[in-house]
Amino acid sequence: MATKKYTVTLPEELAEEIRQEVGSGGFSAYVTRAIEHQREQDRLGELVAWLEEEHGPVTDDELAAAEAERREFERHFTQRGAASGDQARRAS
């Protein structure tokens, strides 16, 4: 991907904190990832707005069902990860 240099203004404390964590060579990559993440969030927000416009707002019951499903997936993958760790320990 081609790159281009831009000038942005950031809070000094924040910029220096990040620079210390990632080093001067990693600063641009860090900022790029942050912008990409924000862009994804913006697009998801646009999708939610469009879906709510088409189908109406999400109900409390739908939110509760989605949260229950999310917790079930989390449990499944946590148990699966623990089982994989057990297998790896037995193999060594």
Side-chain angles (χ1 to χ4, degrees):
M1 173 185 351
T3 61
K4 183 176 179 180
K5 193 171 210 171
Y6 291 89
T7 300
V8 297
T9 303
L10 303 170
E12 183 176 4
E13 300 80 23
L14 175 62
E16 288 306 315
E17 182 180 315
I18 299 306
R19 188 178 300 278
Q20 286 177 4
E21 288 179 19
V22 300
S24 60
F27 190 80
S28 290
Y30 187 95
V31 171
T32 298
R33 286 191 309 273
I35 292 170
E36 288 170 342
H37 177 76
Q38 183 60 50
R39 184 70 177 130
E40 289 172 2
Q41 294 300 305
D42 293 346
R43 287 182 175 162
L44 284 172
E46 292 168 7
L47 175 61
V48 168
W50 177 77
L51 288 170
E52 286 188 335
E53 188 176 300
E54 290 290 314
H55 304 286
V58 177
T59 66
D60 289 341
D61 288 344
E62 291 167 330
L63 284 172
E67 178 59 21
E69 187 173 353
R70 184 199 64 78
R71 284 193 306 270
E72 182 58 33
F73 279 123
E74 190 174 279
R75 256 191 309 281
H76 169 77
F77 286 109
T78 299
Q79 291 169 352
R80 187 174 169 192
S84 295
D86 290 343
Q87 288 174 350
R89 282 189 292 279
R90 282 188 293 242
S92 40

